[in-house]
Amino acid sequence: LPTGLYKKILVILHDSVLPYMNEPTLMMDFLTVAYDIGGAISLLALNGLFILIHQHNLEYPDFYKKLYSLLDPSIYHVKYRARFFHLTDLFLSSSHLPAYLVAAFIKRLSRLALTAPPESLLMIIPFICNLFRRHPACRVLVHRPAGPADLSQDPYIMEEEEPSESRALESSLWEIQSLQNHYHPEVAKAAAVLNQSLSEMEDDISGLLELSGYELFDKEVKKKATDVPLEFEQVRGLFGKKNDIFAEHFSLD
């Protein structure tokens, strides 16, 4: 099928077609083929696959491997970002998932977050915190302060397609620590949460999934301005530096 037609079908398939079919399992082949295409089509096929897996016992052995492979730099910018992360949250909600799999997702999302826009970061950081709450075995990524001296020595293999071979559990979450110095104060504040012990209550990310850059900017503009001190050191000398040699010879008086 043409790409445009695939998208039109998959957008409505899960709520306008599958519920009215006598045998929704007839769509298994179509959805699995669409899921293997990649890009936005794979993201849209997730909705239909979720219904077949959850309600009709579809077995998809390489499902998580394929989901893991969908995580690329564009995932934070695509039109269907909210839908994708809503479903990914559901797929990673089971407490029976192995720690190495969840750790691989955490590391890949964190690594991709280094180049993500602020509106995506404000969603993905609570998302990662929720994964730590559900899977305490993965907290070793946070409680490993002696990380690699050189980032090239990070044992995590970003290019590895198989989550079990990515060595994510041997790594540390230095990416989130880097985001604690982010230029946007809200992002830095959100990333600093991992410095403290996490509460047992999960963060509600439903309101953050569709957060846009415009909304973020509008929120900042509407904040009440506070008086910011522009000079915290008393000026002395010609150039105002504390140990300025000119201060011995020139005065502002």
Side-chain angles (χ1 to χ4, degrees):
L1 295 177
T3 302
L5 187 55
Y6 255 124
K7 290 180 180 179
K8 288 180 180 179
I9 293 172
L10 293 171
V11 162
I12 63 170
L13 187 69
H14 66 286
D15 58 359
S16 300
V17 179
L18 289 179
Y20 303 100
M21 292 182 68
N22 292 329
E23 294 185 47
T25 51
L26 292 173
M27 299 302 295
M28 284 182 179
D29 289 339
F30 172 75
L31 286 168
T32 51
V33 168
Y35 191 46
D36 289 335
I37 290 176
I41 293 177
S42 291
L43 302 186
L44 292 173
L46 275 174
N47 268 111
L49 278 176
F50 172 70
I51 292 175
L52 294 184
I53 291 172
H54 185 64
Q55 299 178 8
H56 302 283
N57 302 317
L58 170 64
E59 292 187 12
Y60 198 119
D62 294 329
F63 178 79
Y64 283 99
K65 178 182 176 181
K66 179 63 180 175
L67 184 64
Y68 182 72
S69 70
L70 291 179
L71 300 178
D72 59 32
S74 67
I75 202 67
Y76 292 124
H77 305 274
V78 292
K79 179 180 178 181
Y80 309 106
R81 184 190 70 191
R83 180 188 295 222
F84 173 75
F85 280 104
H86 169 69
L87 290 170
T88 303
D89 188 42
L90 287 175
F91 293 135
L92 296 176
S93 61
S94 173
S95 58
H96 299 293
L97 294 174
Y100 74 81
L101 178 67
V102 180
F105 274 89
I106 291 173
K107 272 296 291 185
R108 196 171 182 95
L109 288 170
S110 301
R111 184 67 60 85
L112 296 173
L114 293 174
T115 56
E119 61 270 18
S120 296
L121 292 174
L122 291 176
M123 175 270 299
I124 204 60
I125 293 173
F127 184 93
I128 290 172
C129 290
N130 285 347
L131 292 180
F132 280 124
R133 292 183 176 99
R134 297 170 192 167
H135 308 276
C138 294
R139 294 187 184 182
V140 66
L141 294 173
V142 179
H143 302 302
R144 187 176 281 136
D150 184 1
L151 297 183
S152 63
Q153 299 174 1
D154 189 343
Y156 174 67
I157 307 171
M158 180 73 173
E159 297 77 19
E160 177 58 53
E161 295 181 358
E162 184 62 57
S164 61
E165 304 293 332
S166 66
R167 300 176 63 191
L169 274 176
E170 301 174 32
S171 183
S172 61
L173 218 59
W174 58 265
E175 296 91 347
I176 300 298
Q177 189 173 12
S178 300
L179 292 177
Q180 292 175 5
N181 299 312
H182 197 272
Y183 69 87
H184 197 290
E186 292 296 325
V187 173
K189 181 180 177 182
V193 170
L194 283 174
N195 290 340
Q196 309 160 4
S197 57
L198 292 173
S199 61
E200 293 184 6
M201 185 74 70
E202 288 192 11
D203 295 323
D204 183 14
I205 64 169
S206 58
L208 302 172
L209 291 175
E210 297 188 18
L211 185 65
S212 67
Y214 175 80
E215 292 172 335
L216 205 59
F217 182 80
D218 195 49
K219 180 181 176 182
E220 291 296 322
V221 169
K222 290 181 179 178
K223 278 186 177 179
K224 291 184 178 179
T226 56
D227 294 331
V228 179
L230 300 179
E231 182 58 73
F232 56 90
E233 244 178 49
Q234 186 175 358
V235 176
R236 58 185 294 273
L238 186 62
F239 296 107
K241 293 182 180 178
K242 192 172 184 180
N243 300 318
D244 189 358
I245 191 171
F246 288 96
E248 300 177 12
H249 306 287
F250 297 92
S251 172
L252 295 176
D253 296 335

